[in-house]
């Protein structure tokens, strides 16, 4: 336990980070996060926002085109009067546009590359342009469409609107604005944010580092003070002056240190006098509880058998004299076992202390197991269990017969209490080189792997609710452990997919 505590202290010290560093890292991290978020939002959404605004601009431009005064000249050409405000708005918003007649004659154009605009509009109007999936429709009405396109001739991306105007839709128009400017703006702004952000982070980091040093100095002193107090060093005192609630806390630490030193001194004096008495009382009380639990647990099964057969006699379950005599024999036999069991529990306590003697004798383990199953027949029937035990020949072993009977009884009783599924119990005897391996398997849920090493500890229960249900005290397997260790034999448990197997070994009684 000491090693575990020591390791935990090392882990705690390894994970310790100064408050000053944490505060600085928090603020710098927030600044860096803000910079990253601004850059990401700028790169991901600024162009979309720009396009949405350009879409509104193009819609307003279409409305302005519809209000143009277009007239036919005497020579068959067409002209339009464009207000100065339209020229100004087109220049400010970087718009280029053109209007043509239904037969491809240019009416009016504003902006650069008018010839290219006219050719582009003619291609749209007469469906001469070969579309290659470069258009992205942003908005569409009955008279015009707004789209994002990539012009392969100009090598640029545009947001443009084209459609028809006039009373009978006799004119076609095309308005476009380039996207390169916004992309360049995004790149410039991201670079600007990066350099400005880096400078802010550097300056803020230095300022925070200086300020946090002043703020955390009293807290660091209190931390050192608390560590010394935990090591019962009460000479250290709080001396800093922060001018806030930390000073009050420090004064309280000083008073607490003085009171603790006085109190611990008194407690140590009293503790030295009471320690021996307390340890003695705890040991006696623990022995008493263990003994009572052992007695109540181990007498429960014989008492149940005696009660069951006695009730059978009283209720005249069988009028056959031989059966009645058998019932009486079982009652007498179980009563004798209870008497012997009570005496043997005292022996088990002595066994754990190394003061009990093991009576080694040669006996037939097959006959012993058959006797245990016969005495537990009522419990087997109540559990509706199917017990498989096939042994045609005697198998002699060397051991203390009574104690091995306790082991078998505990294993079988444990199997009945945890029986599930197909409700089968299989008892096997497997001869080995110089030993015999006896196992009791029951169908049911496997035991969690984490609980397996603790099964043999006193009072350990995997499922406390279920253990209370059948009256178990959690000492049956600890008795098995004590008996097998006194015999210097092996024992254990093994999980299977459909159940659990408990086993133990004994020295073979075959003559060599």
């Amino acid at each position: 336990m000491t090693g575990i505590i020591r390791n935990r202290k090392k882990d705690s010290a390894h994970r310790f980070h100064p408050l000053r560093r944490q505060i600085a890292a928090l603020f710098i991290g927030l600044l860096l996060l803000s910079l990253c978020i601004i850059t990401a939002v700028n790169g991901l959404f600024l162009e979309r926002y720009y396009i949405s605004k350009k879409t509104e601009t193009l819609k307003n431009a279409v409305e302005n085109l519809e209000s143009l005064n277009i007239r036919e000249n005497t020579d068959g050409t067409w002209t339009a009067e464009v207000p100065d405000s339209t020229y100004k708005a087109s220049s400010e918003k970087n718009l280029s546009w053109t209007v043509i007649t239904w037969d491809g004659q240019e009416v009016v154009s504003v902006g650069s590359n008018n010839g290219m605009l006219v050719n582009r509009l003619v291609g749209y109007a007469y469906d001469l342009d070969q579309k290659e999936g470069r258009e992205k429709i942003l908005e569409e009405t009955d008279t015009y469409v707004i789209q994002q396109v990539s012009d392969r001739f100009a090598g640029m991306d545009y947001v443009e609107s084209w459609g028809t105007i006039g009373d009978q839709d006799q004119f076609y128009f095309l308005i476009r604005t380039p996207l390169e400017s916004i992309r360049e703006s995004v790149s410039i702004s991201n670079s600007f944010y990066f350099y400005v952000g880096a400078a802010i982070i550097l300056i803020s980091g230095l300022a925070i580092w200086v300020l946090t040093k002043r703020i955390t100095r009293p807290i660091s002193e209190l931390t050192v003070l608390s560590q010394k107090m935990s090591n019962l060093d009460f000479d250290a005192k709080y001396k800093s002056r922060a001018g806030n609630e930390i000073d009050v806390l420090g004064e309280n630490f000083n008073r607490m240190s003085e009171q603790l030193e006085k109190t611990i001194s008194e407690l140590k004096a009293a503790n030295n006098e009471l320690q021996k008495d307390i340890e003695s009382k705890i040991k006696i009380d623990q022995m008493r509880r263990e003994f009572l639990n052992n007695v109540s647990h181990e007498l429960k099964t014989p008492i149940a058998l005696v009660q069951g057969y006695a009730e059978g006699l009283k209720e005249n379950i069988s009028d056959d004299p031989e059966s009645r005599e058998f019932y009486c024999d079982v009652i007498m036999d179980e009563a004798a076992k209870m008497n012997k069991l009570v005496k043997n529990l005292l022996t088990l306590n002595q066994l754990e202390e190394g003061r009990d003697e093991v009576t080694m004798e040669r006996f037939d383990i097959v006959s012993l197991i058959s006797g245990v199953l016969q005495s537990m027949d009522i419990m087997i029937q109540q559990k509706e269990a199917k017990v498989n035990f096939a042994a045609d020949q005697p198998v002699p072993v060397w051991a203390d017969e009574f104690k091995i009977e306790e082991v078998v009884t505990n294993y079988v009783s444990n199997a009945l209490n945890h029986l599930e599924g197909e409700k089968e119990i299989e008892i096997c005897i497997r001869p080995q080189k110089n030993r015999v391996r006896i196992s009791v398997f029951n169908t049911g849920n496997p035991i969690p792997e984490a609980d397996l090493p603790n099964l043999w500890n006193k009072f350990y229960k995997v499922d406390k609710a279920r253990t209370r249900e059948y009256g178990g005290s959690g000492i049956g397997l600890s008795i098995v452990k004590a008996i097998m260790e006194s015999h210097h034999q092996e024992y254990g448990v093994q999980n299977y997919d459909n159940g659990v197997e408990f086993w133990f070994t004994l020295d073979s009684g075959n003559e060599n």
Side-chain angles (χ1 to χ4, degrees):
M1 179 63 71
T2 304
I4 295 175
I5 294 175
R6 189 182 299 114
N7 291 336
R8 287 179 179 173
K9 288 182 178 179
K10 289 181 179 179
D11 292 341
S12 177
H14 179 70
R15 293 191 299 268
F16 177 81
H17 299 288
L19 180 61
R20 177 187 178 188
R21 187 181 302 171
Q22 291 180 354
I23 295 175
L26 176 62
F27 279 96
I28 294 175
L30 290 175
L31 290 174
L32 184 60
L33 178 62
S34 300
L35 178 62
C36 293
I37 291 175
I38 291 173
T39 303
V41 171
N42 207 34
L44 294 175
F45 301 105
L46 184 58
E47 182 174 337
R48 300 180 188 178
Y49 179 76
Y50 178 84
I51 292 175
S52 66
K53 288 298 182 180
K54 284 299 182 182
T55 300
E56 295 296 328
T57 300
L58 291 178
K59 290 169 63 176
N60 294 333
V62 171
E63 294 177 359
N64 291 334
L65 288 182
E66 290 177 346
S67 63
L68 289 177
N69 182 15
I70 301 174
R71 65 180 181 274
E72 185 177 8
N73 300 322
T74 57
D75 58 355
T77 60
W78 295 81
T79 57
E81 295 181 0
V82 180
D84 293 337
S85 59
T86 302
Y87 282 105
K88 182 178 179 181
S90 299
S91 178
E92 290 175 348
K93 298 177 180 179
N94 199 15
L95 298 179
S96 298
W97 52 271
T98 186
V99 178
I100 64 174
T101 61
W102 62 272
D103 57 356
Q105 180 182 347
E106 181 179 357
V107 176
V108 63
S109 295
V110 174
S112 60
N113 297 325
N114 294 334
M116 183 181 294
L117 284 179
V118 172
N119 293 334
R120 188 80 172 181
L121 181 55
V122 170
Y124 284 154
Y126 299 98
D127 200 20
L128 301 177
D129 185 66
Q130 295 182 356
K131 298 181 180 180
E132 301 177 359
R134 297 183 300 273
E135 294 83 5
K136 179 180 179 182
I137 304 300
L138 303 177
E139 188 171 330
E140 187 174 8
T141 66
D142 294 335
T143 59
Y144 66 89
V145 62
I146 300 176
Q147 59 190 10
Q148 180 180 345
V149 299
S150 177
D151 192 333
R152 64 180 184 274
F153 297 106
M156 297 175 60
D157 292 341
Y158 294 89
V159 177
E160 62 181 22
S161 174
W162 75 274
T164 60
I165 57 176
D167 295 337
Q168 298 180 358
D169 295 338
Q170 71 271 36
F171 302 103
Y172 292 99
F173 73 90
L174 172 62
I175 310 172
R176 62 163 43 176
T177 182
L179 289 177
E180 291 301 318
S181 58
I182 184 58
R183 291 174 180 170
E184 184 179 1
S185 298
V186 171
S187 177
I188 293 173
S189 62
N190 284 340
S191 299
F192 177 78
Y193 289 145
F194 175 80
Y195 291 118
V196 172
I200 292 175
I201 290 174
L202 180 60
I203 296 173
S204 301
L206 293 175
I208 291 171
W209 188 257
V210 173
L211 291 175
T212 53
K213 181 179 180 180
R214 180 177 180 182
I215 295 174
T216 59
R217 185 187 297 113
I219 299 176
S220 300
E221 184 177 346
L222 287 175
T223 302
V224 174
L225 176 61
S226 65
Q227 290 175 346
K228 292 183 177 180
M229 291 177 62
S230 67
N231 294 324
L232 303 182
D233 179 8
F234 301 106
D235 293 332
K237 303 296 181 181
Y238 176 78
K239 299 178 180 179
S240 295
R241 287 294 176 265
N244 51 36
E245 292 83 357
I246 298 179
D247 291 342
V248 179
L249 180 61
E251 293 298 328
N252 292 336
F253 261 83
N254 292 340
R255 286 194 294 271
M256 183 173 58
S257 176
E258 296 174 357
Q259 293 296 327
L260 282 176
E261 184 176 10
K262 184 184 298 183
T263 303
I264 289 176
S265 178
E266 296 173 355
L267 286 176
K268 282 185 176 181
N271 183 67
N272 291 333
E273 298 177 2
L274 296 176
Q275 189 65 34
K276 292 183 178 180
D277 292 339
I278 293 174
E279 291 177 355
S280 177
K281 290 180 181 180
I282 290 176
K283 185 175 181 180
I284 293 173
D285 187 59
Q286 183 178 0
M287 292 174 61
R288 178 182 60 82
R289 288 198 304 268
E290 289 182 359
F291 177 77
L292 291 176
N293 286 334
N294 285 337
V295 170
S296 62
H297 177 78
E298 298 302 326
L299 290 181
K300 193 175 295 292
T301 299
I303 290 175
L305 292 172
V306 170
Q307 183 178 4
Y309 280 99
E311 290 177 354
L313 288 173
K314 183 177 180 180
E315 295 176 3
N316 295 322
I317 292 179
S318 176
D319 295 332
D320 184 7
E322 294 182 358
S323 299
R324 295 173 64 87
E325 183 177 356
F326 171 74
Y327 279 32
C328 292
D329 290 340
V330 172
I331 292 174
M332 294 176 62
D333 183 56
E334 294 302 322
K337 287 182 180 179
M338 283 189 290
N339 182 40
K340 190 176 181 180
L341 185 59
V342 171
K343 296 178 181 179
N344 200 53
L345 284 173
L346 297 174
T347 304
L348 285 175
N349 280 339
Q350 296 177 350
L351 182 65
E352 291 181 340
E353 297 175 0
R355 296 187 291 107
D356 187 41
E357 295 183 359
V358 178
T359 304
M360 300 297 291
E361 53 187 327
R362 188 172 181 269
F363 61 93
D364 179 19
I365 189 65
V366 174
S367 177
L368 184 146
I369 294 174
S370 299
V372 171
L373 294 177
Q374 184 178 5
S375 64
M376 300 180 71
D377 183 63
I378 290 181
M379 292 182 64
I380 294 173
Q381 293 181 15
Q382 290 175 347
K383 297 289 186 177
E384 299 180 354
K386 302 175 185 177
V387 180
N388 300 322
F389 175 59
D392 300 331
Q393 300 295 330
V395 178
V397 294
W398 282 101
D400 188 316
E401 184 174 2
F402 176 77
K403 290 181 174 61
I404 298 306
E405 182 179 358
E406 288 301 310
V407 173
V408 175
T409 301
N410 274 321
Y411 274 1
V412 175
S413 176
N414 187 69
L416 288 171
N417 290 327
H418 295 85
L419 196 63
E420 292 183 3
E422 299 177 357
K423 294 188 176 182
E424 292 186 1
I425 297 176
E426 182 179 7
I427 303 175
C428 296
I429 300 176
R430 298 184 180 89
Q432 297 176 343
K433 186 176 181 181
N434 295 319
R435 291 185 176 183
V436 176
R437 186 180 189 274
I438 300 97
S439 63
V440 179
F441 171 82
N442 68 276
T443 58
N445 295 324
I447 300 173
E449 293 294 330
D451 293 319
L452 291 179
N454 301 317
L455 290 177
W456 313 99
N457 297 337
K458 287 184 180 181
F459 313 114
Y460 187 82
K461 303 172 185 178
V462 176
D463 188 347
K464 295 183 180 180
R466 182 164 185 170
T467 303
R468 288 195 299 268
E469 182 180 341
Y470 64 78
S473 62
I475 64 170
L477 294 180
S478 65
I479 294 176
V480 171
K481 174 184 177 181
I483 293 175
M484 298 316 301
E485 289 181 351
S486 68
H487 282 72
H488 303 289
Q489 296 292 336
E490 297 178 354
Y491 60 95
V493 58
Q494 184 174 356
N495 275 326
Y496 291 90
D497 293 338
N498 61 335
V500 181
E501 178 190 69
F502 286 86
W503 59 272
F504 65 94
T505 63
L506 294 175
D507 290 335
S508 176
N510 291 325
E511 297 295 340
N512 296 330

